[in-house]
Amino acid sequence: MSNAAYRNKLRVRSCGLLIEDEKLLLVELYSPITEKWTWLPPGGGVKFGETTKEAVIREFREETGLTVTVGARIHIQEMVKPPYHAIEFYYLVNRISGEIAIGSDPEVKPEDQILRNLAFLSQDEINQKETMPDFIQEKLWIL
């Protein structure tokens, strides 16, 4: 799985936090940063001319099949692990419509897809899995 598209450039990412029945929706993907299968909130790169909220809506549709509305921004973080550098925005989202189905990452060729699973996970389940970012393990649950 190639990760060249994410190297040596600043990437702005926008991610959504969908919590239903005290569980957070996460996607499992092959992380180019850790080079491991990792669970994280749906999201991805913001396109030029797109707002971070518009990016969350698009990324949710691409990765989960869901249409969402975007609420409050609750977390911003900068991740610097050369050759990777990202500024990430995290928003609470609400489901409007759609059935959950694993999607694809359009930035990656079909034969190199990095998404493999999608699930609502409880705090305990999240703490037992390889997850990113760290704030979803504890801080998210006290908001």
Side-chain angles (χ1 to χ4, degrees):
M1 290 180 207
S2 173
N3 57 15
Y6 308 114
R7 293 174 173 259
N8 299 312
K9 63 181 177 181
L10 175 62
R11 189 160 191 241
V12 177
R13 296 186 74 248
S14 195
C15 306
L17 304 166
L18 177 60
I19 300 171
E20 294 181 357
D21 299 322
E22 298 183 21
K23 293 184 175 189
L24 177 63
L25 182 62
L26 298 177
V27 295
E28 185 183 27
L29 61 74
Y30 189 79
S31 169
I33 296 150
T34 64
E35 297 185 342
K36 296 180 190 174
W37 288 98
T38 305
W39 290 88
L40 63 155
V46 178
K47 295 179 179 180
F48 182 79
E50 181 178 54
T51 68
T52 55
K53 287 185 176 185
E54 290 168 340
V56 168
I57 293 168
R58 177 183 49 76
E59 288 286 344
F60 247 82
R61 197 172 330 120
E62 291 171 356
E63 294 182 6
T64 72
L66 299 179
T67 301
V68 297
T69 59
V70 181
R73 185 180 64 228
I74 63 164
H75 188 76
I76 300 172
Q77 73 177 26
E78 183 174 23
M79 186 280 306
V80 181
K81 292 183 181 176
Y84 303 103
H85 185 179
I87 297 172
E88 302 172 323
F89 296 84
Y90 291 86
Y91 293 92
L92 292 175
V93 300
N94 291 301
R95 183 193 318 209
I96 296 174
S97 65
E99 294 297 319
I100 295 173
I102 191 70
S104 62
D105 186 335
E107 295 178 87
V108 179
K109 293 183 220 171
E111 64 273 16
D112 292 333
Q113 276 303 305
I114 60 173
L115 301 175
R116 78 171 182 188
N117 207 348
L118 178 67
F120 277 100
L121 301 176
S122 68
Q123 182 181 7
D124 288 340
E125 291 168 321
I126 289 169
N127 290 336
Q128 294 171 22
K129 295 188 180 293
E130 183 79 31
T131 60
M132 289 190 333
D134 292 342
F135 88 94
I136 67 168
Q137 295 167 350
E138 297 295 333
K139 292 178 189 172
L140 174 64
W141 305 96
I142 58 173
L143 294 176

